[in-house]
Amino acid sequence: MTPSTPAQSGKFPGTVDAVIFDWAGTLVDFGSLAPTQIFVEAFAVFGLRITLEQARGPMGLSKRDHIRTLLADVGIQAQWVERFGRPSNDLDIDAVYHRFMPMQIAKVAEYSRPIPGAVETLRALRSQGIKIGSCSGYPRQVLDVLLPDAAVDGIAPDCVIAGDELPAGGRPGPYMALANVLALGASDVRRCIKVDDTVPGIEEGRNAGMWCVGLTLSGNEVGYSQSELASADPADVAARVARATEKLTQAGAHYVIESVADLPAIVAAIGARLARGETP
């Protein structure tokens, strides 16, 4: 995409106003492990076998939409028909969701630890007067458990929007990102940055008219825990990072980095582009 020039966009204030973060795989829960494992366990309750890779596929969507997407998978749907003698329907999506929720609530606090560098990055942004927003595919009930523990560790955005609390819906629509703009009083979506480790999260930011930064190594697309990463074959790590970079770039990310620890330099680069009159 060719950036806008000052002549094309008119006078434009060249500073970053707000950064809007995802949660799992972005600010907390290195590898986005909490939701992934619980999907596997929730489907097992209904006698369905899904892999961690399948569970990761729709990550970034609201959890009900995530379940809907998984049940639409040909192989998973075939298991459902074999077990229950009919295709799944909306009531079945509700049933899986209601089984998933208490399991997720019980486990999410175990995965609330900040991703290395997250606390320092938030501190650096605030020191520049940049507002801190956030949104998640997690429903509000799950976030209400996660947020207090994350805050104790230094992760406390100015705004938190949950995946189930907007009538218009969640990702890849722009609604949660735009709700942050309203809540934060950000002056212009073109001065906002969306940071996310999933394809729907990047699409959300693009649909909202924001700069978008994708995260690879810490997030869902690579999928390592920190302990797994420490013992992984470097060639496998590089291959996973390359695949994640390609997916997030194709989704529309303006920049792709390994983790939130690398974000301050990108915010500075975007600020410089804004100063030149460029827009997302």
Side-chain angles (χ1 to χ4, degrees):
M1 183 175 72
T2 303
S4 299
T5 65
Q8 292 171 320
S9 58
K11 186 177 179 180
F12 190 76
T15 56
V16 173
D17 198 3
V19 180
I20 300 163
F21 293 90
D22 177 49
W23 277 87
T26 298
L27 287 176
V28 300
D29 186 9
F30 193 102
S32 193
L33 304 176
T36 310
Q37 184 59 46
I38 302 303
F39 278 121
V40 173
E41 294 174 9
F43 273 77
V45 170
F46 292 85
L48 276 66
R49 300 174 305 280
I50 69 171
T51 66
L52 286 172
E53 183 177 0
Q54 286 175 313
R56 288 188 181 280
M59 200 65 71
L61 299 178
S62 69
K63 299 314 175 202
R64 190 183 299 273
D65 287 342
H66 193 131
I67 290 166
R68 184 188 308 276
T69 302
L70 287 174
L71 282 174
D73 177 87
V74 172
I76 297 172
Q77 183 62 203
Q79 290 186 59
W80 185 280
V81 171
E82 180 180 358
R83 182 163 181 80
F84 297 104
R86 57 170 178 78
S88 62
N89 55 38
D90 285 347
L91 291 177
D92 299 320
I93 293 168
D94 289 341
V96 177
Y97 180 78
H98 290 308
R99 189 66 192 91
F100 166 85
M101 279 290 290
M103 298 168 72
Q104 184 71 91
I105 290 169
K107 290 288 188 179
V108 69
E110 297 179 18
Y111 297 90
S112 66
R113 296 293 299 170
I115 286 170
V119 173
E120 294 78 7
T121 290
L122 296 188
R123 187 181 301 127
L125 296 178
R126 283 202 168 100
S127 73
Q128 300 170 55
I130 295 173
K131 302 175 181 72
I132 308 297
S134 68
C135 52
S136 176
Y138 280 141
R140 175 55 65 176
Q141 284 179 283
V142 175
L143 284 177
D144 284 345
V145 175
L146 171 63
L147 294 177
D149 283 350
V152 168
D153 289 328
I155 305 296
D158 305 317
C159 176
V160 181
I161 304 296
D164 65 341
E165 60 188 358
L166 297 179
R171 300 165 180 157
Y175 314 110
M176 289 195 293
L178 294 177
N180 271 271
V181 172
L182 293 172
L184 295 169
S187 62
D188 194 312
V189 294
R190 296 172 296 176
R191 295 174 58 187
C192 297
I193 302 171
K194 177 68 201 304
V195 183
D196 208 295
D197 64 304
T198 68
V199 166
I202 296 299
E203 292 172 340
E204 170 193 24
R206 289 304 301 258
N207 287 334
M210 300 176 178
W211 299 91
C212 292
V213 180
L215 306 180
T216 57
L217 195 60
S218 70
N220 178 72
E221 293 297 338
V222 169
Y224 285 121
S225 69
Q226 286 181 273
S227 60
E228 289 170 337
L229 178 62
S231 60
D233 180 349
D236 184 55
V237 175
R240 291 195 189 197
V241 168
R243 287 194 297 269
T245 299
E246 177 65 17
K247 287 185 70 172
L248 296 168
T249 301
Q250 288 297 317
H254 297 90
Y255 298 88
V256 179
I257 55 180
E258 289 191 348
S259 86
V260 70
D262 305 318
L263 185 65
I266 302 303
V267 173
I270 291 173
R273 292 179 69 175
L274 288 171
R276 295 195 295 269
E278 298 182 30
T279 56

